[in-house]
């Protein structure tokens, strides 16, 4: 099961934080900091799996991550998850973001947080993987956008002047 999904930039600023296990706010912040320091100190040519930090369960949990441009995508999972499957899931998530935002960047995660959370919710819910078909995720995202646009139709007021 997926315990947490963290996305942070090269400076450790969190851009997306989603916990599927309840932690107090201070512990969540410590987990993000600890995870950043664990991932940052690793060489680019070392494998993308490592044991979880002391705050999130130690050796029973794994951190699986990918580094894209200025962002680290980190999934904290328990021992029942496949490392290669999660790496593929990270790839699907990033490619879906790329399709939805046309060459996704850090600013897209900042200014379109609602869409990013919606996409993530289509992929993972409650710590369980729901969908890995990128085309299906994009189709759901487009359907959601159409629904939002239809609900926000412009209201025009006609004022009569006498």
């Amino acid at each position: 099961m997926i315990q947490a999904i963290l996305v942070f930039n090269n400076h450790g600023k969190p851009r997306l934080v989603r916990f599927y296990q309840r932690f107090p706010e201070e512990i969540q912040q410590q987990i993000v900091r600890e995870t950043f320091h664990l991932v940052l100190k690793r060489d680019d040519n070392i494998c993308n799996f490592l044991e979880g930090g002391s705050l999130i369960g130690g050796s029973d949990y794994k951190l699986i991550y990918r580094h894209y441009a200025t962002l680290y995508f980190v999934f904290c999972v328990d021992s029942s998850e496949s490392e290669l499957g999660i790496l593929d899931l990270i790839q699907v998530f990033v490619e879906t973001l790329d399709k939805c935002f046309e060459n996704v960047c850090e600013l897209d995660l900042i200014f379109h947080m609602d869409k990013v959370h919606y996409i993530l919710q289509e992929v993972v819910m409650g710590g369980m993987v729901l969908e890995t078909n990128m085309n299906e995720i994009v189709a759901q995202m487009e359907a959601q956008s159409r629904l939002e646009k239809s609900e926000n139709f412009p209201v025009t007021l006609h004022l009569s002047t006498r």
Side-chain angles (χ1 to χ4, degrees), residues 21-110:
Q21 182 179 351
R22 196 171 297 269
F23 289 106
E25 184 71 28
E26 316 83 55
I27 300 295
Q28 287 182 10
Q29 291 174 359
Q30 289 176 341
I31 289 170
V32 171
R33 278 193 301 273
E34 181 182 8
T35 302
F36 172 70
H37 290 296
L38 285 171
V39 170
L40 183 70
K41 68 182 180 184
R42 294 177 59 88
D43 256 348
D44 288 339
N45 57 356
I46 295 178
C47 86
N48 296 12
F49 321 137
L50 66 147
E51 283 186 1
S54 60
L55 291 172
I56 202 157
S59 61
D60 290 341
Y61 293 93
K62 297 174 272 193
L63 298 174
I64 301 167
Y65 69 94
R66 299 281 304 257
H67 186 205
Y68 296 95
T70 63
L71 295 172
Y72 286 92
F73 290 78
V74 183
F75 281 48
C76 176
V77 300
D78 62 20
S79 56
S80 68
E81 293 290 341
S82 161
E83 290 96 344
L84 295 176
I86 295 297
L87 273 179
D88 187 48
L89 187 64
I90 293 171
Q91 184 71 29
V92 167
F93 180 51
V94 171
E95 284 184 26
T96 303
L97 289 172
D98 209 42
K99 266 189 172 183
C100 290
F101 294 112
E102 297 175 15
N103 207 1
V104 69
C105 68
E106 187 175 348
L107 291 175
D108 291 320
L109 296 180
I110 295 168

Side-chain angles (χ1 to χ4, degrees), residues 95-142:
E95 284 184 26
T96 303
L97 289 172
D98 209 42
K99 266 189 172 183
C100 290
F101 294 112
E102 297 175 15
N103 207 1
V104 69
C105 68
E106 187 175 348
L107 291 175
D108 291 320
L109 296 180
I110 295 168
F111 293 117
H112 303 288
M113 186 58 71
D114 56 335
K115 288 183 182 180
V116 173
H117 276 282
Y118 184 82
I119 293 167
L120 180 61
Q121 197 168 348
E122 286 294 315
V123 176
V124 177
M125 184 177 283
M128 303 298 287
V129 178
L130 290 181
E131 185 64 65
T132 59
N133 182 336
M134 192 178 352
N135 294 328
E136 184 65 30
I137 298 165
V138 170
Q140 290 299 322
M141 183 65 194
E142 290 170 350

